[in-house]
Amino acid sequence: MRDLFDDRPANPVEAARRSVRQPLRPRFYAKAGIAPVTEGHGVQLDGKPVRTPARRVLAAPNPVLAEAIAAEWDAQRDQIEPGKMPLTRLANSIIDGVADQQGPVAAEIAKYLESDLLFYRATSPAELIARQRQYWDPILGWAAQTLGAHFVCTAGVTYIAQPQTAVDAARAAIPENPWRLGAVHVATTLTGSALIALALAHGFLSADAAWGAANVDEDWNMQQWGRDELALERREYRFAELQAAATVLAALSG
């Protein structure tokens, strides 16, 4: 489906996002399904294989994930709306980008461990300080107990160097599997936190809990100053992307 999911930028994580700008195409198939292929479990439309923007076979490592991708295609109505197909977009970016750039993608995730969102705490008001502790301290505790990564926090936004042993321990938890790696990368960039993404990958956080932890400050600001409908629309789109990443991680866990 090159004409539906094309215009891929160099950044593999952004590869599918620009596809939503393409003109919508009428639905041209009756049924989406899956079938075994050399690459795994391929998504098919009326028995014909779907291809990524780079003309590779759109195939998932297991049938559960392939069925979830096919379900996105089946859910399309009169027109095919890539913006409502986050799992397909993520699969495209993994197949066309992450699979060939695993080292750089892992390195980009690791950069977040040097200055993760969770390290920098509000200085006021007391309610926000307490809320950050409520959402963020359990994740840091999980990282210390499960990964052996003992990070330090600071009040304010002035950079604080992290112990190299902590960074190395957390870096070792970054997945090597390209699908899980791509999902963790998406979760990291969406949340601003590699630790939230790793906690999601290891099952410590659900998608909802990860989203709540990532948006503590934004939720606080909305509570104080009101809701911005345009911002909420963008946020809904981003949450769908996080849910797609969580779907990949859950389907490939264990």
Side-chain angles (χ1 to χ4, degrees):
M1 300 301 103
R2 187 180 181 87
D3 52 345
L4 298 179
F5 292 86
D6 211 344
D7 187 28
R8 295 177 301 118
N11 184 339
V13 174
E14 294 294 330
R17 294 181 185 171
R18 291 188 184 179
S19 64
V20 299
R21 302 172 187 169
Q22 301 299 308
L24 298 183
R25 178 176 177 180
R27 176 166 173 159
F28 56 90
Y29 54 91
K31 180 66 177 176
I34 68 171
V37 294
T38 302
E39 296 83 355
H41 300 269
V43 178
Q44 297 189 339
L45 304 178
D46 295 337
K48 298 180 180 179
V50 179
R51 294 191 178 274
T52 69
R55 306 304 295 160
R56 298 176 180 179
V57 175
L58 179 58
N62 65 31
V64 173
L65 189 52
E67 288 283 8
I69 298 171
E72 284 191 338
W73 289 88
D74 256 343
Q76 301 303 298
R77 302 299 183 182
D78 295 335
Q79 293 181 312
I80 303 171
E81 300 185 57
K84 295 182 179 180
M85 304 173 73
L87 192 54
T88 300
R89 298 197 311 271
L90 176 56
N92 284 341
S93 70
I94 291 171
I95 294 169
D96 287 350
V98 176
D100 295 332
Q101 302 182 49
Q102 293 181 54
V105 173
E108 189 170 341
I109 297 170
K111 289 180 181 178
Y112 281 78
L113 297 171
E114 301 283 353
S115 56
D116 202 273
L117 168 71
L118 308 189
F119 305 153
Y120 299 92
R121 305 301 179 90
T123 57
S124 65
E127 293 86 350
L128 177 56
I129 294 172
R131 189 173 297 187
Q132 289 178 342
R133 288 174 177 167
Q134 175 189 350
Y135 279 88
W136 295 352
D137 285 2
I139 302 171
L140 291 173
W142 167 82
Q145 182 175 358
T146 304
L147 306 182
H150 298 267
F151 292 99
V152 295
C153 299
T154 186
V157 295
T158 302
Y159 174 76
I160 181 172
Q162 295 297 323
Q164 191 60 46
T165 54
V167 174
D168 291 343
R171 183 185 290 116
I174 296 173
E176 295 182 356
N177 174 277
W179 281 78
R180 286 179 59 82
L181 175 63
V184 168
H185 187 284
V186 166
T188 298
T189 57
L190 287 171
T191 64
S193 169
L195 291 179
I196 290 177
L198 290 174
L200 176 67
H202 285 75
F204 180 74
L205 294 178
S206 66
D208 286 337
W211 194 244
N215 290 281
V216 170
D217 293 353
E218 183 175 333
D219 287 343
W220 172 262
N221 288 331
M222 285 196 298
Q223 182 179 327
Q224 304 306 309
W225 307 108
R227 299 159 67 90
D228 181 317
E229 293 304 320
L230 183 58
L232 288 175
E233 183 178 343
R234 290 195 298 266
R235 179 163 160 163
E236 181 179 357
Y237 178 85
R238 291 168 64 81
F239 182 50
E241 290 189 309
L242 183 67
Q243 288 176 310
T247 296
V248 169
L249 293 169
L252 299 179
S253 63

